[in-house]
Amino acid sequence: VQPLFGPKHPDAPFGAAYVTFDAGARSFWHTHPAGQHLIVTNGVGRTGTVDGKVEEFNAGDALWCPAGIKHWHGASPTSSMTHIALTGALPDGKNVQWMEEVTDEQYNGGK
């Protein structure tokens, strides 16, 4: 994770980071209280939601992670993935709530 900038002003309450995952790597489960945009710059990634749905995405794709939705994201099993994350922040600066680890079964589309 390489931070690019943090929230600068109440009219622009978001920060950005450049994030790279090695093949097979993924985040823990988490939510964003103000949502998050991902702009995929390299590789193939995966994202999953608590309902067990797993989707793949590619360089050039843009994803929206809605506020309050429990999810994870990372690289595919065979490719690294890099994205720019634009993350909304609440007035108190909170932008993520981290949770438990994503199991291999969840990563591969099982509940």
Side-chain angles (χ1 to χ4, degrees):
V1 176
Q2 295 176 295
L4 297 172
F5 59 84
K8 301 285 186 200
H9 188 274
D11 293 336
F14 58 88
Y18 192 69
V19 183
T20 299
F21 291 91
D22 291 333
R26 65 268 196 180
S27 68
F28 277 37
W29 287 102
H30 60 284
T31 61
H32 298 286
Q36 181 182 61
H37 285 279
L38 302 178
I39 303 165
V40 185
T41 60
N42 190 47
V44 180
R46 284 188 176 179
T47 187
T49 52
V50 73
D51 63 1
K53 185 177 179 183
V54 174
E55 295 183 37
E56 285 203 348
F57 50 85
N58 299 286
D61 290 342
L63 292 83
W64 169 241
C65 304
I69 301 297
K70 186 175 178 180
H71 70 285
W72 58 268
H73 35 85
S76 79
T78 58
S79 174
S80 63
M81 185 273 296
T82 301
H83 64 67
I84 297 171
L86 298 165
T87 307
L90 298 178
D92 65 3
K94 185 173 182 176
N95 64 10
V96 66
Q97 179 182 354
W98 292 107
M99 299 171 188
E100 71 274 12
E101 188 172 357
V102 174
T103 67
D104 289 343
E105 183 179 11
Q106 292 166 329
Y107 175 76
N108 289 307
K111 291 185 181 184

